């Protein structure tokens, strides 16, 4: 299994390839706020671990293994954003909060959060009831 740092790179590479059709070292460095040399080192490690194929000066592409994990990581990120929105976390906090928790949850926990999101989405009155509880708690403070 990839480390949390490797997951961040795989997720970012997957997103860039989905958006632009390619991912460059400079794009990854900018997105992750790291130096290009750090990206190059990680890309070489990801190549060694068979998450991507790296050819010096020619670029890289995700392997089937890398694509599968990338897709799963993007799903996890999106699901956690959706969950935080449902429970009423302010929009300006969601991205930072997801980044802070996504690597610390088991896939079992992710699956249960998915169940909870589904529970709320299947019956909008459940979200309304949660919002009412939140309003009452805010007014009580």
């Amino acid at each position: 299994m990839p480390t949390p740092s490797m997951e961040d790179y795989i997720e970012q590479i997957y997103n860039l390839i989905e958006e632009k059709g390619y991912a460059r070292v400079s794009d990854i460095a900018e997105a992750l706020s790291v130096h290009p040399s750090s990206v190059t080192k990680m890309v070489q490690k990801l190549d060694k671990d068979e998450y991507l194929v790296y050819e010096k000066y020619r670029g890289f592409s995700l392997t089937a293994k890398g694509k599968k994990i990338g897709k799963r990581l993007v799903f996890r990120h999106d699901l956690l954003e959706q969950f935080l929105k449902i429970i009423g976390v302010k929009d300006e906090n969601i991205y930072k909060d997801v980044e802070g928790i996504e690597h610390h949850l088991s896939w079992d926990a992710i699956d249960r959060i998915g169940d909870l999101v589904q529970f709320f989405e299947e019956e909008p009155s459940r979200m309304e009831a949660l919002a009412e509880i939140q309003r009452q708690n805010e007014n009580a403070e």
Side-chain angles (χ1 to χ4, degrees):
M1 279 307 288
T3 65
S5 179
M6 291 167 75
E7 285 183 349
D8 285 339
Y9 279 85
I10 293 168
E11 181 181 359
Q12 194 58 53
I13 291 166
Y14 181 88
N15 279 331
L16 285 166
I17 290 172
E18 286 294 303
E19 289 171 23
K20 297 168 65 170
Y22 61 91
R24 297 180 310 195
V25 168
S26 59
D27 296 330
I28 298 163
E30 182 181 336
L32 296 175
S33 301
V34 297
H35 293 286
S37 59
S38 298
V39 175
T40 300
K41 286 177 190 172
M42 181 58 81
V43 165
Q44 290 168 342
K45 179 166 180 38
L46 293 171
D47 177 56
K48 180 179 169 274
D49 291 348
E50 300 179 348
Y51 293 106
L52 57 79
V53 176
Y54 172 66
E55 294 180 46
K56 195 171 184 178
Y57 306 117
R58 302 197 86 203
F60 47 88
S61 59
L62 290 170
T63 62
K65 174 182 169 181
K67 286 178 189 173
K68 180 179 178 182
I69 289 176
K71 187 174 185 175
R72 194 168 189 204
L73 295 172
V74 169
F75 167 80
R76 176 182 70 187
H77 187 99
D78 292 346
L79 178 68
L80 290 172
E81 281 189 2
Q82 195 176 4
F83 173 68
L84 293 179
K85 282 181 186 175
I86 286 172
I87 63 170
V89 174
K90 294 177 183 150
D91 285 344
E92 62 265 20
N93 296 329
I94 289 178
Y95 182 81
K96 183 179 165 201
D97 288 347
V98 168
E99 288 298 311
I101 64 174
E102 67 183 341
H103 300 296
H104 302 284
L105 296 172
S106 68
W107 285 101
D108 181 46
I110 296 297
D111 289 341
R112 299 301 64 84
I113 289 170
D115 295 341
L116 193 56
V117 166
Q118 181 181 348
F119 174 79
F120 278 105
E121 288 182 337
E122 284 179 351
E123 184 55 56
S125 65
R126 294 171 182 154
M127 285 198 272
E128 292 165 16
L130 176 61
E132 180 57 31
I133 290 169
Q134 291 169 336
R135 279 192 292 279
Q136 290 171 5
N137 288 339
E138 286 175 5
N139 290 334
E141 294 174 358

